[in-house]
Each structure stands twice: as C-alpha cells, then as structure tokens.
Amino acid sequence: MEISTLTMYHCLAFVWYFFIAYSITHVRTEERPSEVFLYGGQWKYLTVLNLVLQAVFYGVSFLADVLRLIKKLRCAKCVISSRDLLFSVLAFPVSTFVSVSFWALYTYNRELVYPKSLDGVIPLWLNHAMHTAVLPFALLEILATPHRYPAKKKGLILLGFVAFLYISWVLWIYSVTGEWVYPLFALFSPAGLVAFFAGSLAIIVSFYNFGEFLNRMIWGQSTFCF
C-alpha cells in the first residue's frame, strides 16, 4: 500500500476507534442497567480497554506514516518500532481474542457476557463496532503493511504480563464488590477459574502466533525500506 494511502487509512481508523471509545464511555448514567457499569465503570471490560488500545495503536501508526511522508526517517524508525511492538504483542491478539471469545460465548449464552438489559443501552451498530469490526480491522492491518515481531520469548513475556495485569484487575474488582466482571466467572470453582484463565491465556497466545504466521506468510522476513 502506498504511504499516502496508508496514512489516510491509519488516520481514518484512529478517528473511528476514538469515536467508538468515546461513544461507549459516554453512555448516560441514567440509562445504565443497575447490574452493569458499577465499580470500575466501563474500564473493567476487556472490550472497552481494547477500543482504547486500538485507538492508541492507530494513532501511533498515523504518526509513523506522517514522519515517513515528511522524511523524518530517524524519528520514524523509533515510532515504527513502537508501533510494531504494540501491534504484534497487543493490538492483534487482543482484538482477535475479544471478537472470537465474545461471539462464541454470546452464541452459547449471551447472559454470560452481554446481558439482554444492555440492548436498550448499547445500539446494535455499536455492539458490532466493539465486537465484530475489530477482527477485520486487525486482519486488514496485516495486509496493509509488514510488522516486525519481537523475539518470541520477549513477545510472549510482554503479552503474559499484560494478561496478568487484567486478571489481577478482575480479581481486585471481585474482592471489593463480591461481583464478577462477567457472570460467566460465577459458574466456576476456584480451580475451575484458574483453568479458565489459563485456557484463555493459551488461546490469546495462539492468536499471537497466528498473527506472526500471517505476517510472515504475506511479507516474509522483509524489513521496511524508507
């Protein structure tokens, strides 16, 4: 993809995710169901955190493109390194995990992840923007431009650390409120919950590897040429 076209795409994607993140974080308080958005607000949901993550990623990508356009190559290389790390370790695996896991659980029993009471608060288009569109955006990014992946050990350590932080946040909310972020968690015993978290981590690691595989299959081991 030409750099000017790529710049426009990343700019539009950034605006889109900023708009979606703004929309979901400004749901009017009086419209919120009593069992949702209490302690921790929207920031306890991985879906919302992912929207912010994607907005940051596309903002960094847009900055990298602009720097390349104006020939600030030394600065561009630094920003591109940050962009690639952000995409490989977080943006791709998290967005893929959010989309696949949400719709799998929604199909099984929507009350476990997205109570019916939310239908009157979050419009259908916004639900799909949060849970459906994130996956094609992630795949399109791989097709649009190559990304340098870090050493496997480094990438997986960073991904595991972020996963640990989110799980710790979920457990902290439960310790304070006595309520789980997702009703699904109430179905498990402590051992079952550990197994569920471990399984979820294994799935998101597989998405990390899948993203690396796609990137290598499409772009090979090539690097950027400024």
Side-chain angles (χ1 to χ4, degrees), residues 38-41 43-45 165-191 193-194 197:
L38 297 177
Y39 185 88
W43 306 111
K44 61 186 176 183
Y45 297 110
L165 290 180
Y166 181 68
I167 292 173
S168 298
W169 173 227
V170 168
L171 294 176
W172 171 257
I173 291 173
Y174 178 76
S175 71
V176 172
T177 66
E179 299 289 338
W180 288 110
V181 171
Y182 298 103
L184 170 69
F185 296 160
L187 301 178
F188 296 107
S189 65
L193 195 60
V194 170
F197 286 144

Side-chain angles (χ1 to χ4, degrees), residues 146-218:
H147 297 84
R148 291 192 185 100
Y149 271 66
K152 182 63 66 72
K153 182 178 180 180
K154 176 182 178 181
L156 293 182
I157 287 176
L158 290 174
L159 177 59
F161 177 71
V162 173
F164 172 77
L165 290 180
Y166 181 68
I167 292 173
S168 298
W169 173 227
V170 168
L171 294 176
W172 171 257
I173 291 173
Y174 178 76
S175 71
V176 172
T177 66
E179 299 289 338
W180 288 110
V181 171
Y182 298 103
L184 170 69
F185 296 160
L187 301 178
F188 296 107
S189 65
L193 195 60
V194 170
F196 177 82
F197 286 144
S200 297
L201 181 58
I203 292 172
I204 202 170
V205 166
S206 72
F207 290 145
Y208 172 94
N209 290 328
F210 180 60
E212 185 179 33
F213 169 77
L214 288 179
N215 186 76
R216 184 173 64 252
M217 289 296 294
I218 295 170

Side-chain angles (χ1 to χ4, degrees), residues 39-209:
Y39 185 88
Q42 293 96 328
W43 306 111
K44 61 186 176 183
Y45 297 110
L46 185 60
T47 293
V48 178
L49 295 176
N50 179 58
L51 294 175
V52 176
L53 168 64
Q54 300 303 319
V56 170
F57 165 71
Y58 282 106
V60 172
S61 297
F62 175 61
L63 175 59
D65 296 337
V66 170
L67 291 173
R68 291 175 67 188
L69 280 173
I70 63 177
K71 308 301 181 182
K72 298 290 185 179
L73 302 187
R74 181 173 299 179
C75 294
K77 289 180 180 179
C78 180
V79 177
I80 287 173
S81 294
S82 300
R83 180 203 68 183
D84 288 348
L85 186 65
L86 190 60
F87 178 77
S88 61
V89 174
L90 294 178
F92 182 85
V94 173
S95 60
T96 306
F97 178 81
V98 165
S99 183
V100 172
S101 62
F102 174 83
W103 287 114
L105 291 170
Y106 185 98
T107 301
Y108 174 71
N109 183 353
R110 65 168 298 176
E111 294 298 320
L112 297 177
V113 291
Y114 194 83
K116 194 172 181 59
S117 57
L118 284 176
D119 287 345
V121 179
I122 301 175
L124 183 62
W125 71 267
L126 186 54
N127 181 23
H128 282 293
M130 296 187 298
H131 298 116
T132 307
V134 293
L135 181 54
F137 263 105
L139 294 173
L140 182 57
E141 176 63 23
I142 286 184
L143 293 172
T145 186
H147 297 84
R148 291 192 185 100
Y149 271 66
K152 182 63 66 72
K153 182 178 180 180
K154 176 182 178 181
L156 293 182
I157 287 176
L158 290 174
L159 177 59
F161 177 71
V162 173
F164 172 77
L165 290 180
Y166 181 68
I167 292 173
S168 298
W169 173 227
V170 168
L171 294 176
W172 171 257
I173 291 173
Y174 178 76
S175 71
V176 172
T177 66
E179 299 289 338
W180 288 110
V181 171
Y182 298 103
L184 170 69
F185 296 160
L187 301 178
F188 296 107
S189 65
L193 195 60
V194 170
F196 177 82
F197 286 144
S200 297
L201 181 58
I203 292 172
I204 202 170
V205 166
S206 72
F207 290 145
Y208 172 94
N209 290 328

